[in-house]
Amino acid sequence: MSIFVEDWGAVYGSPYQIDPDDEVVVETELIEDGDRIVFHEGKGDLRPLAFVDGVRRPEGVLYCLDAATGVQTRGIAGAYACGAVVTGRGRPAKITREYIERLLVWGGGVHRLLPDVPGGWHWEIFSIQETHPDKIGQELQVRMRKAEGRLADELCREGFLTLVDGPLTFVRERDAAVVGFVKTHHRRLLDLRHHSRLPELSPGQRTSLFTLGKDRYSAYLRLTRGAPISGRWSGIVRIELPQAAGLGPAIAIADLVTSALPLYAGVAHADPRAPQNLQPVGALEKLLRRRLGDRSMAQRAVRDAVRRAIARETDPELAAPFSVPLSMHSL
Amino acid sequence: MERQTGDMHSEKDRGEDLGEDRGVGKPGEDNGLGGLPPLAQPLAQVHDEGEADVSHDTSGQDEKENGWAYQDGLREDFQADFGAGFDESVNDPLETDLEASLLVGYVDGAAEASTQRFMVVLDEKATVELDELLVTSQNLPDGSEVSHFGIVVEVTSEFEGAEWSSDTVRIAAGTQPGTVSNRVEVEILRTLPETWIAPQPGVAVRRASGVHRRHALFLDQMEQPLPVGLDMTGSPVYADWAFINGEKGGHVNISGVSGVATKTSYALFLLYQLFETPQGRALLGVHAPATHALVMNVKGQDLLHIDRGNTKFASNAAARSQWAALGVPDPGPFTDVELYAPRSPHSVADAAVADVPTRRSDEVTVFGWSPEQFIRQGLLQYVFGDPNDRNNQVELVVQRAQLQLARWARPVVGKPGAVTLIAPGNDVPMTFERAVRLHHPPRLAGEGELIENWADLVEILSEKLTPDSPDFDESWVAGAAVGTLHAFMRRLYKQTPRMGHLVHTSVSPVELRRAVSVVDIHALHDDGQRFVVGALLSKVFQDSQGAGREPLTFIVLDELNKYAPRMGTSPLKEIMVDIAARGRSLGVILVGAQQSAGDVEEAVVRNASLRVVGRLDAGETADYAFLTPEQRVRASRVLPGTMFVAQPVVPVPIPCRFPFPPYATNAGEGAPVAAEQEAYEEETFDRL
């Protein structure tokens, strides 16, 4: 009996969450090499790559009380940012197309505006019918994913081989060179006999492509060989490719990605989710978090906005636009 | 702007992001952030579906047929991200726009800006060096504009986004994103109008050129600018003449290690500006013809050739254009110079020969003092100039001997310069100043004891002051003890070989007849040098009393530490301090130099308005508080010819260079005319 340690920092959980008893629930079928699983070396000329990712942050929980009915509804104010790292052989990796949106999502169909706060604080208002706090929080995530998808589509159209963080769910550009990059393995996708062979992948190798549902191909690949103390699944990620472009192009792109990605593997001392969290993605996330602005300033802005909203109802003069945050007057 | 920051959006679109990130924006107000690269790109303009299909088709085809080819979208993206080098075909109209070409970056909001200093984040296309002058303007809430002018004191560069040293390798390899962040630190020279606020983060910073440069260097405040060098870009830097000529301030002090020969060179450069250029003559005004400079040559025979052209000047292409930049299109040697050299100690009895092998004897005036001048000018006190050899009792004897010499001395018929000592009557006053005011008729040599040279003088003093001598005279000793008298004589004998040859009837005094008088003292013993300097300065200072400030007399003197050391006291040091304190109102301007200001009497250094610092010894830099910390460090390694020029109106010393001299600064550079050379060779041959 051997013991190993997960490469990821413990607060990030484990990238391998598959239980031995799990059954395959998604419809998959090995397609590249018949019903066999073959390990293919990555190959192909490196071409300009774009890595797309986003970050999000809840910044305040709000309540809206309907005085007539006594019904209280929740809202979550927050922000997300997404952007891309473009890179190519011999070129510096650059962060580009950063996009930031600050928003307030109300549950229960409420649509209540939040006044702007000096300093550039403005919230786009969205509303969903659900009322559960988790569902409201998820809307922030969904909007971020959609923005990532739009950015990925755009970069694909411009000719980048685009890697999107996570599955291809929100990418519409299905017949272009777009690849979903999945770090965490939630459920088993192949027969146990195939699945059990996956840790045998060497760095820079991928498995045969298999279909995933009716619109995607997928394959496992290994970024790096783990240390002797690392688990057998260390450094194994899964990629997703759209079926729309056809199997041939998908194979070519999979080969290319397989040869390219080990270069970008995250570095253990710099990233607690290395090696799966790629270097460009790690740096992008760090920058996007900074772009979201100071966390405590954001929380103060939400409070100011609510204070303004209340003041507007009770004392219109207080609600006039101040050149300094209202909190400074009232504190 | 659009191209430099291609992945940015316009401020109008997302001004709030800007404020949010930097915490400075105020909606609805012009916050002066115009031109700041906004931080985020909205996707709104990116997902235009109509265009999408078209470009997608193209992209697919290209990819299949040509392998990988850059499509337009990608090209633009790389252009925006990787700079202009990616595509040289683009002709940017902004390049010709003056404002844009002067833009170098933005006041850094991530570092604190103060009324003294601020950081500038450089635009990726801008290169800014140390010592460049920058300007930044901001609008105040009341609508007025404030400009900060400053000088770059440090330049830094790093990978933004690199947290570990090893990230550098990954960023360089292109696997991890990171951008080069170039920043410069600026020390503020001036705020206009004088408003004590800090530059606002995010406002554009430009190179100060034209009127901005004039403001940065306070040229608009100088009624009479004197060029004091060229800045690192080759443009002239000026000092206010009113702070040199004694009007508002005076004196120049130059520091620098020896061996790089920049101190005296710089002093000569200033003199050249004043005496040999029309602009300089204009500053001197109506008094120009009567303005003189007394230059002490303390090292080698370097300054004995400034009246000759420099043979190396012609081959120095840069020098001519540098002089031209200073408004001197055709520089040449000093035109009105008299060279003085001391009488050689090896001169035969009555002859006066100078000891200057590199110049013909008729080019040099042999200087010294006749016994009459020595006595009437009261120079005996300067014979004992070593501050480390002071003795109050001996001093009393010196005073008394000096007084009695003045009272007893009478001119001699037929022997100009000699004196004969005759006991005075009671009507001759007992104070030196009154005694020398009397003019006596000449007497015959045999009437008293004849003094024609130093040896005669020493002999007579020895007779008068030695108690067991038959001529011992109580009135010459002022009640001093025998030991004190011996001490005096001992000192007098000691000085005889050091400066005795300078006192002789055959020599002429130094007179400031020409614009520049160079007095060579390099071969003299330290005590001899101190005697000459003391004697000359006391004469210059006495002559200037009550004569008004102008015409000016400049005194160029290196090795101030020898004449006005910080420790000890001497009559010479007292004169130096007096000149430093009062000289400027009397028109005596000291252009002094020393290796280290810390070795020189504080009052002498402190009174100089223009303070110039060249290369310093690393250990000495602490004495120069007026330099910025960065300049203090740099001063220990600047190249010869780079000087930091500090002056009262400009709060930060400006690093300057001065051009290669058109006049010879040593014998080798001298360009004798053919006839001169021939005559010189002939004379040398004759001597053999």
Side-chain angles (χ1 to χ4, degrees):
Chain A
M1 183 169 282
S2 308
I3 61 166
F4 303 99
V5 64
E6 171 51 51
D7 288 338
W8 283 20
V11 290
Y12 290 94
S14 169
Y16 187 75
Q17 303 187 348
I18 299 170
D19 202 75
D21 304 332
D22 281 351
E23 287 301 315
V24 177
V25 289
V26 189
E27 191 183 322
T28 59
E29 183 190 354
L30 278 164
I31 190 161
E32 188 178 353
D33 303 293
D35 190 30
R36 297 183 304 142
I37 190 153
V38 176
F39 293 171
H40 295 270
E41 296 290 334
K43 58 176 187 274
D45 283 340
L46 190 58
R47 51 184 261 189
L49 292 171
F51 298 85
V52 174
D53 196 11
V55 298
R56 66 186 195 284
R57 182 177 72 197
E59 294 167 344
V61 176
L62 279 69
Y63 301 99
C64 184
L65 179 69
D66 187 328
T69 62
V71 173
Q72 181 171 272
T73 322
R74 282 191 185 82
I76 290 180
Y80 71 84
C82 68
V85 174
V86 291
T87 172
R89 190 201 298 274
R91 299 203 181 279
K94 294 283 262 184
I95 293 173
T96 183
R97 317 280 174 108
E98 298 145 47
Y99 175 71
I100 298 150
E101 186 167 52
R102 185 150 269 116
L103 42 90
L104 167 56
V105 182
W106 287 112
V110 169
H111 192 88
R112 175 70 199 266
L113 294 178
L114 202 57
D116 287 357
V117 170
W121 304 96
H122 169 82
W123 292 266
E124 296 293 332
I125 308 297
F126 295 96
S127 188
I128 59 171
Q129 282 308 316
E130 307 261 7
T131 53
H132 194 273
D134 287 353
K135 294 284 180 198
I136 301 172
Q138 269 171 22
E139 183 62 16
L140 194 59
Q141 159 98 343
V142 166
R143 302 208 72 86
M144 178 190 81
R145 288 267 176 233
K146 283 181 176 167
E148 285 176 16
R150 288 196 296 269
L151 178 52
D153 289 345
E154 175 66 23
L155 291 163
C156 280
R157 284 201 297 273
E158 290 178 21
F160 284 99
L161 170 48
T162 306
L163 277 99
V164 187
D165 194 52
L168 282 182
T169 326
F170 290 100
V171 180
R172 291 172 303 160
E173 200 66 38
R174 284 305 169 80
D175 47 357
V178 59
V179 179
F181 180 85
V182 185
K183 294 191 288 285
T184 307
H185 310 288
H186 290 283
R187 51 177 90 89
R188 183 157 62 81
L189 298 175
L190 297 173
D191 280 354
L192 206 52
R193 62 188 171 108
H194 297 312
H195 185 82
S196 59
R197 281 196 60 207
L198 295 180
E200 296 165 21
L201 279 166
S202 292
Q205 279 185 344
R206 67 168 175 86
T207 63
S208 311
L209 290 185
F210 53 90
T211 59
L212 186 66
K214 299 208 180 311
D215 57 352
R216 284 172 277 172
Y217 297 120
S218 186
Y220 289 93
L221 70 86
R222 187 187 276 281
L223 295 170
T224 56
R225 182 174 304 286
I229 56 166
S230 307
R232 301 170 70 221
W233 275 75
S234 160
I236 294 180
V237 295
R238 190 170 60 80
I239 53 174
E240 292 188 2
L241 302 100
Q243 286 181 9
L247 184 59
I251 288 173
I253 287 174
D255 282 344
L256 217 122
V257 167
T258 306
S259 83
L261 287 190
L263 282 177
Y264 296 95
V267 184
H269 65 263
D271 193 329
R273 287 183 294 164
Q276 285 94 323
N277 210 34
L278 303 173
Q279 290 167 38
V281 173
L284 177 62
E285 284 181 351
K286 209 169 283 174
L287 179 107
L288 291 176
R289 277 203 193 90
R290 188 153 60 235
R291 290 282 188 267
L292 289 180
D294 184 77
R295 180 189 293 269
S296 40
M297 276 178 71
Q299 288 170 353
R300 188 178 77 183
V302 173
R303 290 201 176 93
D304 272 347
V306 173
R307 193 175 279 119
R308 267 161 213 278
I310 294 170
R312 190 168 285 176
E313 289 164 3
T314 55
D315 182 354
E317 201 165 308
L318 258 184
F322 288 99
S323 58
V324 291
L326 191 66
S327 56
M328 286 186 149
H329 293 279
S330 51
L331 285 178
Chain B
M1 251 350 272
E2 198 56 36
R3 212 179 112 222
Q4 291 168 16
T5 56
D7 58 339
M8 310 297 187
H9 54 67
S10 79
E11 185 196 351
K12 201 175 68 185
D13 288 339
R14 297 284 293 180
E16 67 273 25
D17 278 344
L18 197 65
E20 160 199 317
D21 205 71
R22 303 227 162 189
V24 292
K26 294 173 188 176
E29 285 180 28
D30 179 3
N31 57 9
L33 289 169
L36 179 73
L39 302 169
Q41 160 97 349
L43 277 174
Q45 51 188 270
V46 180
H47 38 82
D48 181 325
E49 311 224 353
E51 250 178 46
D53 290 337
V54 178
S55 79
H56 164 235
D57 284 345
T58 320
S59 131
Q61 250 174 16
D62 273 355
E63 194 187 327
K64 281 168 201 149
E65 289 171 15
N66 310 328
W68 179 253
Y70 285 109
Q71 281 83 54
D72 284 344
L74 186 63
R75 176 174 284 264
E76 274 161 23
D77 208 283
F78 268 98
Q79 247 169 40
D81 287 314
F82 299 106
F86 188 68
D87 187 342
E88 51 293 316
S89 70
V90 181
N91 188 11
D92 191 336
L94 280 180
E95 297 292 1
T96 55
D97 181 351
L98 180 68
E99 281 291 285
S101 68
L102 293 176
L103 179 89
V104 295
Y106 306 90
V107 176
D108 188 353
E112 204 172 76
S114 74
T115 57
Q116 305 285 320
R117 284 198 173 207
F118 62 96
M119 301 290 295
V120 179
V121 189
L122 294 187
D123 188 276
E124 61 182 23
K125 280 185 179 176
T127 306
V128 176
E129 288 182 76
L130 274 189
D131 307 330
E132 284 200 60
L133 298 170
L134 304 179
V135 57
T136 169
S137 298
Q138 67 193 79
N139 291 313
L140 298 185
D142 65 5
S144 63
E145 188 181 275
V146 174
S147 296
H148 288 88
F149 301 88
I151 182 166
V152 175
V153 293
E154 193 51 282
V155 181
T156 58
S157 181
E158 65 180 338
F159 268 140
E160 203 170 65
E163 286 173 27
W164 303 75
S165 298
S166 54
D167 288 349
T168 306
V169 182
R170 297 191 175 85
I171 291 171
T175 59
Q176 181 182 325
T179 42
V180 177
S181 158
N182 290 312
R183 303 197 306 165
V184 297
E185 187 161 11
V186 177
E187 177 108 4
I188 293 175
L189 290 165
R190 192 178 186 185
T191 308
L192 204 65
E194 200 169 80
T195 309
W196 296 108
I197 57 170
Q200 185 175 320
V203 298
V205 180
R206 297 187 161 79
R207 280 199 172 82
S209 75
V211 68
H212 283 146
R213 186 173 183 278
R214 290 174 57 83
H215 281 142
L217 295 175
F218 290 82
L219 258 170
D220 56 319
Q221 300 270 297
M222 298 181 191
E223 280 177 26
Q224 294 179 295
L226 167 73
V228 290
L230 299 160
D231 71 8
M232 298 296 142
T233 65
S235 309
V237 174
Y238 298 88
D240 193 349
W241 173 236
F243 278 99
I244 297 171
N245 69 6
E247 198 183 321
K248 297 178 189 164
H251 308 310
V252 179
N253 186 275
I254 309 167
S255 297
V257 295
S258 63
V260 288
T262 47
K263 297 191 298 276
T264 346
S265 305
Y266 187 76
L268 285 180
F269 164 75
L270 284 184
L271 285 190
Y272 191 88
Q273 300 271 347
L274 284 171
F275 285 91
E276 301 290 344
T277 67
Q279 303 93 306
R281 309 293 291 179
L283 291 179
L284 295 172
V286 292
H287 296 286
T291 305
H292 298 288
L294 171 63
V295 179
M296 308 303 293
N297 178 55
V298 297
K299 234 176 290 167
Q301 296 181 3
D302 295 355
L303 303 185
L304 298 177
H305 300 274
I306 60 170
D307 55 336
R308 305 158 81 187
N310 191 330
T311 50
K312 292 178 184 162
F313 183 73
S315 60
N316 193 325
R320 190 163 288 277
S321 59
Q322 287 174 332
W323 280 102
L326 292 167
V328 189
D330 194 21
F334 280 89
T335 52
D336 193 23
V337 179
E338 182 162 19
L339 305 175
Y340 288 94
R343 177 173 178 264
S344 165
H346 311 297
S347 303
V348 287
D350 284 334
V353 179
D355 200 6
V356 182
T358 57
R359 296 302 297 247
R360 287 200 327 269
S361 59
D362 64 334
E363 293 176 323
V364 180
T365 308
V366 180
F367 79 89
W369 287 264
S370 69
E372 187 183 18
Q373 287 158 347
F374 181 86
I375 290 168
R376 292 186 66 84
Q377 288 176 25
L379 301 186
L380 186 62
Q381 57 181 319
Y382 300 114
V383 172
F384 311 103
D386 187 350
N388 298 320
D389 192 25
R390 302 300 294 172
N391 178 318
N392 287 339
Q393 297 303 314
V394 172
E395 209 120 307
L396 202 62
V397 177
V398 173
Q399 295 298 329
R400 177 54 69 96
Q402 194 163 285
L403 167 65
Q404 288 298 34
L405 283 171
R407 294 181 74 231
W408 285 51
R410 298 289 179 272
V412 179
V413 177
K415 284 185 185 293
V419 293
T420 181
L421 296 190
I422 297 171
N426 285 337
D427 54 328
V428 178
M430 278 300 284
T431 60
F432 179 82
E433 287 72 20
R434 285 182 182 171
V436 294
R437 225 175 277 154
L438 296 178
H439 286 274
H440 305 281
R443 307 290 278 266
L444 294 173
E447 282 186 70
E449 291 164 283
L450 183 67
I451 302 180
E452 288 184 291
N453 53 40
W454 178 259
D456 296 344
L457 183 77
V458 173
E459 197 171 316
I460 286 167
L461 285 174
S462 160
E463 286 165 7
K464 300 282 185 210
L465 297 171
T466 311
D468 51 1
S469 145
D471 284 341
F472 177 71
D473 190 334
E474 282 281 350
S475 71
W476 283 64
V477 300
V482 176
T484 308
L485 294 176
H486 284 160
F488 168 77
M489 286 313 296
R490 212 165 43 235
R491 285 171 165 78
L492 198 61
Y493 290 134
K494 198 170 77 179
Q495 299 302 348
T496 298
R498 295 176 178 171
M499 46 70 60
H501 54 286
L502 299 176
V503 180
H504 199 275
T505 51
S506 65
V507 293
S508 16
V510 171
E511 284 180 53
L512 306 182
R513 288 180 290 231
R514 303 293 194 88
V516 178
S517 302
V518 180
V519 179
D520 178 33
I521 55 172
H522 85 275
L524 296 175
H525 182 275
D526 278 3
D527 285 337
Q529 293 184 343
R530 277 191 276 260
F531 169 72
V532 173
V533 171
L536 291 180
L537 292 196
S538 71
K539 182 73 166 53
V540 167
F541 204 46
Q542 265 167 29
D543 290 351
S544 64
Q545 305 278 342
R549 188 168 58 78
E550 288 176 309
L552 302 173
T553 305
F554 291 89
I555 296 167
V556 177
L557 181 59
D558 197 356
E559 298 182 358
L560 281 182
N561 49 306
K562 202 184 277 181
Y563 311 108
R566 186 156 287 190
M567 308 301 287
T569 169
S570 73
L572 171 54
K573 180 173 169 180
E574 280 160 26
I575 287 198
M576 301 284 302
V577 172
D578 218 9
I579 289 179
R582 298 194 299 127
R584 70 180 185 86
S585 52
L586 299 172
V588 180
I589 306 300
L590 179 65
V591 181
Q594 68 282 319
Q595 281 201 40
S596 166
D599 296 339
V600 177
E601 166 61 29
E602 241 181 316
V604 174
V605 178
R606 197 167 4 100
N607 273 296
S609 291
L610 193 68
R611 298 177 72 175
V612 182
V613 178
R615 185 166 178 158
L616 295 177
D617 190 77
E620 291 168 355
T621 53
D623 292 319
Y624 301 88
F626 56 90
L627 296 177
T628 66
E630 292 83 3
Q631 286 175 341
R632 280 198 286 276
V633 174
R634 269 172 79 197
S636 64
R637 53 182 193 219
V638 291
L639 294 173
T642 302
M643 317 291 272
F644 299 95
V645 179
Q647 52 171 316
V649 281
V650 184
V652 182
I654 306 295
C656 291
R657 293 197 179 109
F658 60 96
F660 189 76
Y663 37 86
T665 54
N666 58 55
E669 289 173 350
V673 291
E676 215 178 34
Q677 177 71 28
E678 212 167 280
Y680 173 66
E681 279 164 9
E682 217 164 87
E683 193 199 83
T684 316
F685 191 74
D686 284 350
R687 265 195 232 158
L688 295 170

